[in-house]
Amino acid sequence: MPTLGEALVNLVVNGQATEVADGCTAAELVERLSARRTGIAVAVDGEVLPRHAWDTALHDGASVEVLTAVQGG
């Protein structure tokens, strides 16, 4: 969650407008959204983001999808 006076970046996360601190990474966003560390995929602007790139800062206006794998039939 951003703090008062902190620069913000506007994202659309799973279809919801969201503000995060400037410099927020995909890894930080995932940590904010889920306690899970496995079975999660992230796409930014329609492109799957490889896990090794999750430390890249998200850009203003990015559309981010955070998906969780579900098992079952």
Side-chain angles (χ1 to χ4, degrees), residues 1-2 8-20 29 32-33 60-62:
M1 199 63 149
L8 300 176
V9 172
N10 295 301
L11 306 173
V12 176
V13 179
N14 295 343
Q16 300 282 327
T18 304
E19 290 182 327
V20 297
L29 183 63
R32 179 174 154 181
L33 296 175
D60 191 47

Side-chain angles (χ1 to χ4, degrees), residues 29-67:
L29 183 63
V30 167
E31 185 176 311
R32 179 174 154 181
L33 296 175
S34 176
R36 293 182 61 176
R37 296 293 166 257
T38 59
I40 296 176
V42 176
V44 178
D45 296 330
E47 298 289 328
V48 174
L49 193 63
R51 191 171 287 263
H52 66 80
W54 284 19
D55 287 335
T56 303
L58 298 167
H59 65 86
D60 191 47
S63 177
V64 182
E65 298 291 332
V66 178
L67 308 168

